[in-house]
Amino acid sequence: MAVSAERRHQERRARPRPGPDRRAPRGLLPGGEGQGLPALAGLGLAQALVVLAMLAGWWALALGLHLLGCLALPSLLRQRPPGWPGAVLRLLAMTLPALGPLAMLGALAALAIGLPRRLRDVAPPLPEDPLDARLDAIAAAGPGGGLPDGLLLESLGDVLRWGHARQKARALDLAAEPSRPGGAALLRLALSDPDPAVRARAEALRPGVELRLLEAAAECRAAARGQSGAAAIAAQRALARALDRAAGSGLLDAPRADACRAEAAGLWQALAEASGADAEAEAALGRELLALGDLPAARLALEAAVTRGAAGTAALGWLAECLFRARDFAALEALVARWRPVLEAEAQEGTAGPHAGAWRLWLAR
Amino acid sequence: MSAALNPPQGESPMAPGALVAGAWLGPALAALAGLALLRLAGISGEFLGLLIIIGLSLLAGAPAALLAARRGLQGLPLGLAMGGAGLAAFLQLHLVDRLGLAEAVPGGLAAAALVLLWTGLTLAAGFGLPPLAGLAAGLLAGGLLAWGLGGLAGGFGGLALAAAIAGFVATVPAAALPLGLPRRLPRGGTDPVLAGLALALAVLAGPLSTYLLGGPLMAVTLALLVALPGLVFVALARDLAPLPLATRLLGLQAMAVVLGLVIGSAPAAAGLVAADSLPAYRLALLGAGFLPAFAALLAALLAREAPGAATLAAGLLAALSAGLGPLLGWVDPRLSDHGALLAPLLATGFAFWLLAREQDA
């Protein structure tokens, strides 16, 4: 019995609550200075009519007008205006039913006197939320504000981890802005966030980003169509990179991502065959084939890229992954033995490459 | 002072000393202000109607103020207390005292506005904010209204306007600060209401029972004035430990009582107290001397997490003030005036015992 009561209590607490977010701070000073004023003016007008009716001796009319004014209070309060006028409006809603025009006069006096000096000087403004400040700074820096993608991801990731619902939503909106291509990675993270509200928001934003990635690829495709010679090769390379980015964003659904990869693989293959010694094209081709599951072809392309030596350690990592998936451990050990000095540098403590951990394991054998 | 300005999140401001002392100080000062406003409106001799308004406002306002002090400003209790006090005062003035609508409606509004004032003053004391700006503005506006409108309606309307403006200005900071989150209290907040009701009854019981039994009302009420300096001391001394404070208060009050006894015949000479009730006045004066000490002890009890002991002490004072005089009069008619002396004395002793017992434990 006690256990079930406990569980019921926990379930009730975990259930999302209706109404505005209670953890969202209710600002005392900043912002929203003018929001409550129209409502106050309307209530003041109604109460002035009540006073007129009372002075004329029409008590029933005054009571009726007063009750009408009271009926309007809940809808006025639902907007929850912030700041000093909001506080005045909240208290007015508590006192107006009993006090009528006197409460209105009290509200006018409170507006005229303003926030007490001591409260203004000593306690508020309430401590600024650092996450809000960070979001403001990111929004103010603008798209080309020199904010590296890594820093953007880290900042917004912190907001996703520590912020309240409104801040998380704002972080996702910032990440999904068309001018921030790096934000797509944050959306991919948010898709597997423990907070269901964040997941839902990211799902809602995903189609827009997906469409944008595909549109970028389509633009490149259109640009590549009319070119020839060296310009055609450059346009093809740009198209292949755009397709790579779309497929690697993690936001596309699986068939569409595979279609992008297949198209990119064809382009990279054409590029590799055209120039004969294009390490980037071979490495990228190998990676696409690896992702598509064509392990022998991927192995050929990656080995070619690695043999040329110009593709960097990323190609080594992909090749190792390809060999591992193909269960050719002898070839994998030979690869490690052949490239040991390079891999030792890659596997050093403190490097954050995607394969550093795996290299450490294989080098220790 | 800054600790008072920055109460921890979710904790409500609480100034038990100001709250308890204010329960006696507020009505006394409101009665004086009301009398002045009535005089300004050209009315003299409506003291009883004023006392009814203030008494009803205190009865409904003390629980609301205590609830606000413990749990932050909440709309429903405040609205209910204001509506209840206003309606009760309106019905009393209109149906029982046979006043017209033009007088009874301002009277009801005055009771409702005084409830807001008590709550606002309590919250302002909790935040350490001086309510003087609102009080001055309210008194100015109320005085103008009383002077301009004239008559009983003007007097009551002036009081209502003054209390509404002062109360509103004092309460708004509490509505602006993000307090009032539910705080864990035993029995979901009924305890503060009970404590507030007991406090209001303790303030009202003596004069009320004297009035109902046809006793010397003015003698008992006027004697309470001697407690005012001590109560002001309690209201302002927020950080003193209760027992040394009570000891000092007894010394201060002894001087005040001696002064009161020396000039004891002055109220009689002024015609405020009948000559034959002068002995009762002297006894009430002696009893009122213990009131600040009782208030200091009650404040210490009230500052605890559970206000049960404070409720008990205030309830005992109310019961003794109301019942001891008639009981003694039933035993021996010559003893009936001694109730006004014995009730505060016994209640102070009981509160001291409650506090000392908890401190020993």
Side-chain angles (χ1 to χ4, degrees), chain A residues 28 84 87 90 95 99 102 105 118 123, chain B residues 6 82 113 128 160-161 172 175-176:
Chain A
L28 179 58
W84 187 246
R90 269 195 296 283
T95 53
L99 284 183
L102 295 181
L105 289 175
R118 266 197 194 168
Chain B
N6 293 308
M82 288 171 62
L161 184 58
V172 174

Side-chain angles (χ1 to χ4, degrees), chain B residues 142-169:
Chain B
L144 280 177
L145 184 67
W147 181 66
L149 214 57
L152 198 55
F156 284 165
L159 181 63
L161 184 58
I165 289 180
F168 205 101
V169 172

